[in-house]
Every structure is written in structure tokens, then in C-alpha cells.
Amino acid sequence: MWKVSNNSFKNPIRSKNFVYLHCLRKFTNASQSENENEKCSEWENAKPYESVPGPGILQLIRNSFPGGKYYNIDLQTLFKRVLDEYGPIAKFPTFLGNKENVIVADTNDFELLFRNEGIWPYRRGMQTFDHYRKEVRPDIFKDMGGLLSEQGEAWHKMRSIVSPIMLKPATVNAYIPNVDEIAIEFCDRMKTLRDDKNEMPSNFLYELSKWALESISSIALDQRLHVLETSKSDVNNLGVQLIKSVDDFFVLSYQLEVQPSLWRYIATPKYKQIIKVFDNMTESLVHFVDKAIDNLEKNPNRRDEDREPSVLEKLLKVDRHVALVMALDMLLAGVDTTSASSTNCLYYLAKNPEKQEKLRKEVQAIPVDANGKLMPSSFQSVPYLRACIKEAMRMAPIAPGTTRAPVKDIVIKGYKIPKGTDIVMANILLHYDSQYFQNPNEFLPERWLRKETSNTCPVDKKAPFVYLPFGFGSRSCVGKRFAEMEMNVLLTRLLRKYRIEYDYGPLKYRFGFISAPVSDLKFRITEI
């Protein structure tokens, strides 16, 4: 044994490698030691966490009620007012059960947080959502909060099951024909909705929500709900009930968790209201999911062998309960988010006709099959379509930022930040910062095209954490590829059929975790 080892050292290449590795280990260990010393020194010299600037409890109470500077404002405005007043870092104290959190808007701080989020990143979920699933209805959810609000090992286990399925391009592409069929039906329905001015009804967002629900149900449930022809007056239709419940959920959860509320201590009227919304939403969703699972179990061989199995089929093979919860989450998260993002994109294209015409030329060239239907290969090369969606999501993101809690003590802006502290990254403030986006108030999809960024409206590539529409890392949105695919299909069908205009003022948005338009969406459409 010694002889073999001795001979190996006589090999000059192996000998050099041994010396190199030995030196590398010494260098690495020395570097790590130096880094640890620097971190220790930085922590020791940092200001205490208690001295992070921000409003006190009394100031927060005064400013959060009618007449106060934080009353009834959206999160973007809240972030801006707080950081303008207190500087690049500000702390919001615990208040009526809300956990204390710190707000930052610097990409260097974002990077530091992402590098210290650990293997199981903590992102604070919606407390009302978690409360309902684990404390009110454990009979259905069995202590499983889902990807939205679960943490630690429980989150990691579920994410490990879901990610390989939801993020697989072949799985996403397999649904393009179904989603295309729904988009075609929706575009045909638009013709019947317009008035004598060729304008859509003021509640056109509701119509887009029906399109979004129909699309995501074809993915999550492997079936159609047939809600496109329904109206808000169809109160007994489960699809209509679901759309209203999802919309109410995002508004009420914001009011209960961001605005002052006593719901954690007593059953306030809004708490009772959101529990009723959760019940309606859950009953509708469980009905649809049970029906989908029943259909699959009764017809296990109904798909061709060479066809990609559905999301629901794949999840059922792993765990029936995970399949149930994930289908519920997909329906919950895939309606308001996609419909609002699509609305914003239509608005900016309508307000920028030259961009719309440029996009139309691209989508008219998208290949279709012999029957004129879009195919899985149709969107292999659509750079301007992707750029338009990106730019619309930059200008009007549906979420203003994201939250992380570091797994170790860190220093931000010279202050000690203990591990476990909730830190809100206010990305939306950087979307309108000329340091990162030239002419930030203009809709310029060209900024996302590589060949044009060298001399026109560039995106700063040195700040990769500025634009995070679907979050970052392992806690990024697991349904992002489906959302992008749905928007690709809808915009392609709309622009191949209609010219879109909008003659009214800037869109106004509601206050909620999802920033949805509340303006009258009287888009004018004319056939090409």
C-alpha cells in the first residue's frame, strides 16, 4: 500500500496537483479566516439594531389612521415616503401583531440578503392564509400551508416535488394548444362585448379574469370550467364565485395584515369576511379538484402514450395530498396575477401604437400548424413579445417587492441586523430610477433587446437584482413559465386579430398584495 502511494508521488503531474491542492487549501482557509475576521470586525463596529431609524409606535398609529401619511396608500408610495423620510434603511416596529420589519432599496443589500438566506429561504407569507389553512381548516389542508406560506423543511419537501414538474419546458409547452383554444374563444367573445364605439365594457378586467381562470384550470385541473360566457350575475356558478373570492382575498388580506387591524386578538368584521371568502374559495376549488382527480382515476389511459402527462397526473403519482394543495394554489395564484399583468401590457401597447405595430409584425410571423393553431414550437423566437411583457411588468409590477429573513447576523448600511429579521426589498422603487433604467417613465421594450441596448435605453446589467418580477432563487414563483406562456398566447391572438387603443387617462390601482387596475378598461378594438 505504501509502495503504490510512493510511486504515485513520483508522477510529476500528480505531484504538482498535490502541491497545488495543498496550497489552495491553505489559501482558501486563510481567505476564509480573513473573511471571518472582517465580518467580526464589521459586526463589532456596526451600530445597534435598535438605532435603525423609523417611526415609533405612536407615530405609526397616528400616520396609519385617516389623515395620516400612511393611511390608505399603496405599498410603492409607502416605501417611498418612509425611505425619503428616514434614509436608505428604515424599520417598522411591531404593531397589533405585525412582525417588525426593515425596508431597504439598494441592490447591494438585496444581494447580501440573497447570499445569506440559507438552503431553506424564509419569505414571510400571508398570515391570514396560513391561519385559515392550519387553524381553521386543517381537515382539508392537514397542516400544509402550501408553497405560498410554508417554511423550512416542509416548504423544501413540497418545492422539491413540484419544481421538476412545474418548471419543465416540455410540461409547459404541452398546454399551448389548450391555452390557445381558450384565447381564440376569448378574442371572439371580445367582439360581442364591444359597444357602438367598439369599446370594451368598463369591467373588462373581470372578462380577463375569466380568461385567466379558464386557462389555469386547463393546466391545474386538466379540464375546462366554461366560465367565458358567464356574467357576474351568475352567482350560483362556482367559477364566478371563485373569481370574486380570489379578488376579495387579495384585498382583505392586505387590509388585515398591512393596515391596522385587531384580527389576531378578536374576530373583527373583516376577519369574519375573509374567513367566509376562504370558505367559498376552498369549497369551489375542492369541488373542481375532486372532479379532476375523479376523471383521471376513472380514465387512467385516456392520454396517448407519446403525450406529455398533465401536471395533475404527475403530482398524483407522487402524493395525492400535495396534488390537491398544489392545484388549489395554482388556481388561487393564477387568476388575479395573470389578468392584471395582461391588462397592464395591453394598456402600454394601446398607449404606444408604434410599439404595438412592431409587436404585431412579430406575432403575425409566428408559425402555426395546418389548422392555424399555435404549437409548442411557436414561441421559440419572439424576442419583442418577451421584451414587451418584461417592460410592462417593470412599469407596473403586480407586487412591489419581496421579503427575506437572513439565517445569520448581518450588517446593512452600518447597522446590525439580527438573523431572522424580516427585510422588505422595495424593488419597485428602482424600476423608476434612471440609474438603472434610462428614461424610466417611458415604455421602451427595446431596452430588453441585446442588440439594441448598446445605444438605446439600456438596462444596467451590473445590477441584476433590480428587476425580479417572479422573485429570486428557490423561492421564486414556481408557476412563472405557465404565466408567461399564457400571456404569450393571449397577446399573440389579440394582436393578430385586433388593433387596440385606449383613450382615457393613466390607470389607477387598488391597494392590495396584488396591484390590480381599478380604472374603467374601455379598450377600443378594431379588426386588422
Side-chain angles (χ1 to χ4, degrees):
M1 196 168 177
W2 168 253
K3 193 172 182 180
V4 173
S5 179
N6 194 39
N7 287 339
S8 69
F9 281 110
K10 291 180 180 179
N11 184 317
I13 297 177
R14 295 191 63 175
S15 180
K16 288 179 181 178
N17 287 341
F18 175 82
V19 173
Y20 170 75
L21 290 172
H22 178 70
C23 292
L24 180 60
R25 288 193 191 100
K26 289 182 66 177
F27 176 76
T28 302
N29 291 337
S31 298
Q32 289 175 345
S33 179
E34 289 176 8
N35 288 337
E36 290 300 322
N37 290 336
E38 288 178 7
K39 289 179 181 178
C40 288
S41 177
E42 183 184 30
W43 178 263
E44 290 172 358
N45 295 325
K47 290 172 279 189
Y49 173 72
E50 292 72 24
S51 65
V52 175
I57 292 288
L58 293 179
Q59 287 177 293
L60 185 60
I61 294 174
R62 184 170 60 250
N63 290 330
S64 297
F65 285 96
K69 65 178 82 172
Y70 305 150
Y71 177 70
N72 234 13
I73 60 175
D74 59 87
L75 284 174
Q76 178 182 357
T77 305
L78 175 64
F79 293 157
K80 188 173 189 318
R81 288 185 181 178
V82 170
L83 295 180
D84 282 349
E85 181 174 359
Y86 295 103
I89 182 171
K91 179 174 62 178
F92 260 49
T94 181
F95 178 52
L96 293 180
N98 274 338
K99 190 178 177 183
E100 192 169 71
N101 57 74
V102 171
I103 303 171
V104 294
D106 186 322
T107 56
N108 294 321
D109 299 332
F110 298 172
E111 182 176 3
L112 178 64
L113 285 166
F114 288 131
R115 290 186 183 279
N116 288 278
E117 64 180 4
I119 58 172
W120 297 334
Y122 176 88
R123 183 194 64 199
R124 181 170 53 177
M126 296 179 181
Q127 294 176 336
T128 50
F129 185 76
D130 207 40
H131 165 76
Y132 178 80
R133 289 195 168 187
K134 294 185 177 181
E135 298 180 35
V136 180
R137 296 304 301 270
D139 55 312
I140 292 179
F141 297 98
K142 304 185 189 306
D143 200 39
M144 184 177 287
L147 290 180
L148 183 64
S149 60
E150 202 61 84
Q151 306 295 342
E153 188 172 2
W155 164 83
H156 176 72
K157 180 180 178 181
M158 190 171 187
R159 180 79 187 209
S160 298
I161 295 172
V162 171
S163 288
I165 297 171
M166 296 285 291
L167 296 174
K168 185 181 178 183
T171 303
V172 178
N173 289 338
Y175 286 95
I176 288 178
N178 291 344
V179 173
D180 186 34
E181 179 183 319
I182 295 166
I184 291 172
E185 289 181 23
F186 179 73
C187 289
D188 290 341
R189 176 166 169 73
M190 287 176 65
K191 190 185 298 184
T192 68
L193 292 172
R194 60 186 176 183
D195 60 17
D196 55 359
K197 296 180 181 178
N198 286 338
E199 289 183 343
M200 292 293 99
S202 58
N203 68 340
F204 184 57
L205 181 59
Y206 173 69
E207 300 295 330
L208 279 165
S209 294
K210 290 193 295 183
W211 157 78
L213 175 59
E214 195 70 47
S215 297
I216 195 61
S217 67
S218 73
I219 296 168
L221 305 177
D222 203 27
Q223 64 176 299
R224 293 285 303 272
L225 301 188
H226 303 289
V227 296
L228 289 181
E229 298 299 324
T230 61
S231 66
K232 280 189 174 181
S233 60
D234 299 328
V235 292
N236 294 322
N237 183 282
L238 290 180
V240 172
Q241 291 179 19
L242 182 56
I243 291 172
K244 185 179 187 311
S245 295
V246 170
D247 193 58
D248 289 343
F249 157 67
F250 282 115
V251 173
L252 286 168
S253 59
Y254 178 84
Q255 293 172 345
L256 290 169
E257 296 185 39
V258 176
Q259 298 174 347
S261 174
L262 293 168
W263 75 272
R264 297 173 185 84
Y265 309 102
I266 59 173
T268 64
K270 284 187 178 179
Y271 169 81
K272 294 177 181 178
Q273 188 179 351
I274 200 171
I275 293 299
K276 185 177 180 180
V277 165
F278 276 132
D279 281 337
N280 292 338
M281 190 163 54
T282 301
E283 288 168 11
S284 298
L285 289 170
V286 169
H287 169 81
F288 291 133
V289 172
D290 283 346
K291 182 180 176 182
I293 292 175
D294 187 55
N295 287 341
L296 284 174
E297 291 177 343
K298 287 180 179 178
N299 304 284
N301 301 315
R302 65 189 180 84
R303 285 184 175 271
D304 298 331
E305 289 185 3
D306 60 345
R307 186 174 180 185
E308 184 76 17
S310 69
V311 170
L312 191 59
E313 284 177 291
K314 290 180 177 181
L315 289 174
L316 280 171
K317 289 180 181 178
V318 179
D319 185 289
R320 181 187 174 92
H321 189 61
V322 168
L324 170 68
V325 173
M326 196 61 219
L328 294 173
D329 284 356
M330 289 174 69
L331 289 169
L332 172 65
V335 179
D336 277 31
T337 52
T338 311
S339 60
S341 296
S342 300
T343 299
N344 292 331
C345 199
L346 289 175
Y347 167 76
Y348 287 112
L349 289 170
K351 285 293 190 179
N352 295 272
E354 73 285 356
K355 310 297 183 186
Q356 183 181 154
E357 289 304 317
K358 183 174 180 178
L359 177 56
R360 180 172 291 106
K361 290 179 181 179
E362 181 177 272
V363 299
Q364 284 176 334
I366 289 176
V368 294
D369 65 16
N371 297 314
K373 300 297 179 63
L374 294 170
M375 306 173 291
S377 60
S378 294
F379 296 102
Q380 288 183 348
S381 181
V382 283
Y384 201 66
L385 175 58
R386 300 186 196 284
C388 287
I389 292 174
K390 278 187 174 183
E391 182 68 348
M393 295 181 80
R394 177 193 70 84
M395 297 195 74
I398 58 171
T402 189
T403 303
R404 287 291 191 276
V407 295
K408 60 177 71 173
D409 296 339
I410 59 175
V411 175
I412 296 181
K413 295 289 182 286
Y415 293 94
K416 295 177 179 178
I417 306 296
K419 64 180 181 180
T421 304
D422 277 354
I423 304 178
V424 181
M425 292 172 272
N427 298 77
I428 192 170
L429 299 183
L430 306 184
H431 288 194
Y432 285 88
D433 189 335
S434 58
Q435 176 183 350
Y436 305 107
F437 299 100
Q438 186 174 313
N439 304 316
N441 294 308
E442 295 182 36
F443 180 72
L444 298 170
E446 289 76 11
R447 73 173 83 247
W448 300 101
L449 301 178
R450 291 182 181 179
K451 64 181 181 181
E452 298 188 40
T453 55
S454 59
N455 52 18
T456 60
C457 50
V459 175
D460 188 346
K461 302 297 183 183
K462 293 178 290 186
F465 298 106
V466 172
Y467 176 78
L468 301 172
F470 295 105
F472 176 79
S474 56
R475 287 215 77 139
S476 62
C477 175
V478 75
K480 59 186 177 183
R481 287 185 174 171
F482 283 108
E484 290 171 333
M485 180 270 285
E486 291 174 53
M487 293 177 67
N488 285 340
V489 172
L490 178 67
L491 291 172
T492 295
R493 284 303 176 188
L494 271 172
L495 295 179
R496 286 166 73 113
K497 189 178 183 69
Y498 300 118
R499 179 169 288 103
I500 307 167
E501 299 170 275
Y502 189 77
D503 298 328
Y504 302 91
L507 294 186
K508 296 180 180 179
Y509 295 85
R510 73 182 182 197
F511 310 129
F513 282 118
I514 298 299
S515 184
V518 293
S519 302
D520 292 344
L521 299 178
K522 296 182 179 181
F523 291 107
R524 184 167 66 252
I525 61 168
T526 52
E527 282 83 355
I528 300 301

